[in-house]
Amino acid sequence: PYWINDLAKLWLSPPNIPDKEFAKGIVYLIEQKILDAPDGGDELYIPKWFKFTTAWWAYGQITDTTYANAIQFLIDEKILVVVYE
């Protein structure tokens, strides 16, 4: 969805929104089955270095599909970890 790009820019640029707020957007995409994550979850841990990939996408250096595939890969490889409470 278009709004995730706006959310990404808010995450990347001061005054930055917290990682947890950006993670909520990713979790929403998982809940809506736009992205897949094993067994769902409430909270998402995002490694700090992932901001670079997000910046490339937010500023048009990679496509939406490439970014979605990158997120899916990170979830599949358990680099982005869905945390259960």
Side-chain angles (χ1 to χ4, degrees), residues 18-75:
D19 291 354
K20 189 171 189 166
E21 290 303 310
F22 182 70
K24 286 179 184 178
I26 301 299
V27 169
Y28 176 81
L29 296 177
I30 293 167
E31 290 171 348
Q32 297 303 307
K33 308 240 185 273
I34 296 167
L35 292 174
D36 185 32
D39 303 320
D42 306 339
E43 188 176 332
L44 195 63
Y45 165 72
I46 302 175
K48 298 283 183 203
W49 56 263
F50 187 65
K51 282 190 174 185
F52 291 114
T53 303
T54 301
W56 296 333
W57 170 71
Y59 296 103
Q61 295 174 311
I62 62 174
T63 66
D64 293 348
T65 301
T66 300
Y67 186 63
N69 288 338
I71 292 172
Q72 188 62 57
F73 173 79
L74 295 174
I75 291 169

Side-chain angles (χ1 to χ4, degrees), residues 1-2 7 9 11 15 24 39 44 49 66 72 76 83-84:
Y2 68 90
L7 187 64
K9 288 177 182 172
W11 184 50
K24 286 179 184 178
D39 303 320
L44 195 63
W49 56 263
T66 300
Q72 188 62 57
D76 292 346
V83 178
Y84 304 94

